[in-house]
Amino acid sequence: MYRIVIEREDDVYMASTIGKRVAEDFGLNKSQQTKLVVSIMELTRNIVFYAGKGELFIKPVPSYGIEIVAVDQGPGIPNLDQILNNKKVHSKTGLGLGITGVKRLMDEFEITSTVHQGTKVRAVKWFSEGQVSQID
Ligand SMILES: Nc1ncnc2c1ncn2[C@@H]1O[C@H](COP(=O)(O)OP(=O)(O)OP(=O)(O)O)[C@@H](O)[C@H]1O
Ligand SMILES: [Mg+2]
């Protein structure tokens, strides 16, 4: 398991690079690798922008998938329901796929956020059939 402290833009790229390497090492195909890496970028970018500081955990779970957990003790997301229901909440930058993009790209997705306490996102990219085979 990897733990990456996220507090500046460079940490976003560090986390993405590690995520890419783990995805390759565990045999995800290119499109699954990209989905994982983009998700890591979105979640860590949010930490830098909105929480200032947090952590990303990258955990490969054999015969299951790669789990990412992004946690921060920032301001929390008061309008989370609205964001998840995608009522056109205008983004600051408008560049990324945002939280709903991560939900779409990953196979499992959970978010909990408490105002003044922080935000935690857990998501998993499964190893798909054909990518994992038991060899002994
Ligand atoms: N870790 C966080 N802590 C506090 N607020 C957050 C956090 N992540 C997201 N938010 C809030 O949720 C909103 C939606 O985030 P999302 O990533 O979906 O879009 P965005 O960051 O606004 O734009 P984009 O990611 O498309 O550049 C943000 O505008 C911000 O207000
Ligand atoms: Mg964002």
Side-chain angles (χ1 to χ4, degrees), residues 42-43 45-47 49-51 72 74-79 83 89-100 113 119:
E42 291 296 335
L43 297 177
R45 240 163 39 93
N46 280 352
I47 290 176
F49 278 2
Y50 307 115
D72 66 64
I77 311 177
N79 57 337
I83 288 161
V89 181
H90 282 287
S91 68
K92 255 184 200 164
T93 65
L95 290 175
L97 297 165
I99 289 169
T100 55
S113 188
T119 302

Side-chain angles (χ1 to χ4, degrees), residues 3-36:
R3 169 181 175 269
I4 304 130
V5 173
I6 307 296
E7 45 192 340
R8 55 181 64 88
E9 196 187 3
D10 251 17
D11 304 326
V12 171
Y13 298 116
M14 175 59 70
S16 307
T17 303
I18 293 170
K20 173 88 158 74
R21 207 184 61 217
V22 172
E24 281 169 355
D25 289 351
F26 282 79
L28 289 189
N29 69 32
K30 295 280 184 199
S31 86
Q32 303 303 85
Q33 287 177 23
T34 302
K35 290 174 182 176
L36 181 80

